[in-house]
Amino acid sequence: MPHRLPAFTIQWHLTERCNLRCIHCYQNERFVKQELTFAQSKKIIDEILKALKIWKRRGRINFTGGEPLIKEKLLFRLIKYVKQKDPKISIGILTNGTLLTNSMVKKLKKAGVAFVQVSLDGATEKVNDSIRGPGSFNKAIEGIKRLVKAKFTTAIMFTLHKKNMGEIPRLIDLAIDLGVTRLGVERVVPTGRGKSLEKEMLTPEELHQIFLYLAKRRQEIKKKGQKLDIWTYRPLWCLLRKEIKDSQIGGGCSAGLNGLTIMPNGDVMPCRRLNLVIGNLLKDNLFELWYSSPILWDLRERTKIIKCGKCPHLPNCGGCRAVAYAVTGNYLEKDPQCWKK
């Protein structure tokens, strides 16, 4: 059987406006005010579909924000347009979950959305709301329950730092109880408002122990036949392969290889957390940009990463370029949370 390339994923930020003010957010208070019109967005969708056809790659578009459901009218018009042009494109929504009413969940289902990810940063109201704002926990939980009931592929995304690292065991239990499909644990990237949390980043050894716990729980969950999948495909995970005897975990960053980020004004970034603009789709062609950006070529050539060049894990890792850039100002620096000496 021929090897299948991963889906090419576009993370599309429809707006930077949001009804929450999470302390770790990669945005700052100066929101992008200029937002793409429906006509401009359609042209960009056409470019995406054209590129996917040339590459012979499966496509995924994840609409997010800010809070994407604030842009309800534009969101559903774009989903409809994508599905009309190519019904095989997978559509996802990345949301804070607070606006997932019964009627909204029904609309998303009818529109053909396949996947919804809800951000939750604590297993308890007290911890989550201290990070994401009062009332956000209960609203997100109710939204998740509605998604599960409607049979969406539903994920919880957790942003990890010292203020909530103790929540991991209970968070896994909560995810199982809720019946969600996936649980992702991402590290805080100290950029935007999240810059204030730089001192709250886990040490390399703390991260090692958290990842080890997550990997072991994942194995236990599989043995029990429970449906929750804990994502273990991001950078640094592969360092655990021998430790837990699992050759399948781990994966490098997709920036420059399998995805791009589109901002509300048409700016393009390799990754939203890697705060570098490489072009703008109001004047640049997406296909040409993919091959002409020096930054994207740097990200593809992992041997350029400082101190990682001779690491045996490099082909499957490379560390997180966004964390490296946020902490050091150089996206080719070693991931500061890597525990490998």
Side-chain angles (χ1 to χ4, degrees):
M1 229 178 127
H3 174 68
R4 289 189 77 191
L5 288 169
F8 191 94
T9 301
I10 297 289
Q11 182 166 310
W12 194 326
H13 295 255
L14 296 180
T15 183
E16 286 201 319
R17 288 177 285 162
C18 188
N19 57 329
L20 299 183
R21 292 292 182 273
C22 304
I23 62 173
H24 60 271
C25 185
Y26 41 57
Q27 294 178 188
N28 56 37
E29 295 300 335
R30 296 193 301 274
F31 293 168
V32 173
K33 292 181 180 179
Q34 180 190 352
E35 296 178 352
L36 296 168
T37 64
F38 178 55
Q40 290 169 332
S41 300
K42 285 199 301 180
K43 289 180 181 178
I44 292 171
I45 289 169
D46 291 342
E47 282 192 35
I48 294 169
L49 298 180
K50 184 178 179 181
L52 290 172
K53 187 175 181 180
I54 294 170
W55 293 327
K56 297 180 180 179
R57 304 232 357 218
R58 292 175 296 127
R60 179 184 296 122
I61 300 177
N62 291 333
F63 291 109
T64 186
E67 173 48 52
L69 300 184
I70 287 176
K71 300 284 290 186
E72 180 179 348
K73 184 178 179 181
L74 177 62
L75 172 64
F76 284 101
R77 289 182 78 186
L78 291 179
I79 294 173
K80 183 178 180 180
Y81 184 74
V82 172
K83 287 295 184 180
Q84 285 174 341
K85 298 285 287 190
D86 186 351
K88 293 181 181 179
I89 294 287
S90 176
I91 301 290
I93 304 293
L94 315 182
T95 172
N96 62 39
T98 62
L99 303 179
L100 288 169
T101 60
N102 282 320
S103 60
M104 179 61 75
V105 169
K106 287 178 183 177
K107 283 186 71 174
L108 292 170
K109 193 73 175 180
K110 186 177 179 181
V113 171
F115 165 78
V116 183
Q117 174 182 294
V118 178
S119 295
L120 206 62
D121 292 311
T124 59
E125 181 180 0
K126 180 180 179 182
V127 175
N128 180 84
D129 289 8
S130 70
I131 296 167
R132 304 190 66 82
S136 58
F137 181 79
N138 289 328
K139 288 179 181 177
I141 293 295
E142 288 306 309
I144 291 168
K145 288 178 179 177
R146 291 178 182 124
L147 293 169
V148 172
K149 186 178 179 180
K151 301 190 182 325
F152 277 95
T153 297
T154 308
I156 289 175
M157 179 54 68
F158 179 88
T159 301
L160 175 67
H161 44 77
K162 290 188 177 183
K163 290 179 180 289
N164 62 6
M165 60 187 289
E167 296 285 281
I168 294 289
R170 284 182 294 181
L171 181 76
I172 296 172
D173 294 338
L174 176 63
I176 293 170
D177 289 343
L178 289 170
V180 304
T181 318
R182 300 171 186 166
L183 171 64
V185 176
E186 287 281 11
R187 296 178 273 160
V188 68
V189 178
T191 188
R193 283 198 297 280
K195 188 67 179 175
S196 64
L197 291 181
E198 187 164 351
K199 292 182 180 178
E200 302 296 333
M201 294 175 67
L202 272 61
T203 66
E205 190 49 40
E206 286 172 335
L207 186 66
H208 180 192
Q209 293 306 314
I210 290 286
F211 276 16
L212 188 60
Y213 176 80
L214 286 164
K216 288 179 177 178
R217 282 295 302 268
R218 181 174 183 264
Q219 290 179 330
E220 291 172 9
I221 289 166
K222 278 191 169 184
K223 285 179 182 177
K224 290 179 180 178
Q226 295 168 316
K227 77 172 187 176
L228 179 69
D229 180 28
I230 298 175
W231 279 326
T232 56
Y233 63 90
R234 301 287 287 146
L236 301 187
W237 278 101
C238 63
L239 304 185
L240 298 175
R241 285 181 176 177
K242 289 184 179 178
E243 200 168 352
I244 64 165
K245 298 180 174 61
D246 185 347
S247 62
Q248 300 302 309
I249 68 170
C253 176
S254 64
L257 297 171
N258 301 311
L260 284 172
T261 291
I262 300 174
M263 294 296 287
N265 62 353
D267 281 348
V268 180
M269 295 180 175
C271 159
R272 177 60 186 92
R273 301 186 306 160
L274 180 53
N275 199 16
L276 293 168
V277 175
I278 61 171
N280 184 286
L281 295 181
L282 295 180
K283 58 184 178 65
D284 298 313
N285 177 276
L286 182 140
F287 186 82
E288 292 175 0
L289 196 60
W290 183 249
Y291 292 105
S292 63
S293 167
I295 291 174
L296 293 183
W297 282 111
D298 281 346
L299 295 172
R300 292 166 190 147
E301 298 176 35
R302 291 182 182 165
T303 53
K304 288 187 175 183
I305 300 170
I306 298 168
K307 298 180 183 176
C308 290
K310 295 181 180 180
C311 176
H313 296 285
L314 186 61
N316 299 302
C317 183
C320 177
R321 301 297 90 223
V323 172
Y325 182 69
V327 173
T328 71
N330 183 354
Y331 59 87
L332 293 176
E333 262 291 352
K334 179 183 177 182
D335 187 326
Q337 289 177 297
C338 177
W339 59 85
K340 183 175 172 58
K341 304 299 181 185

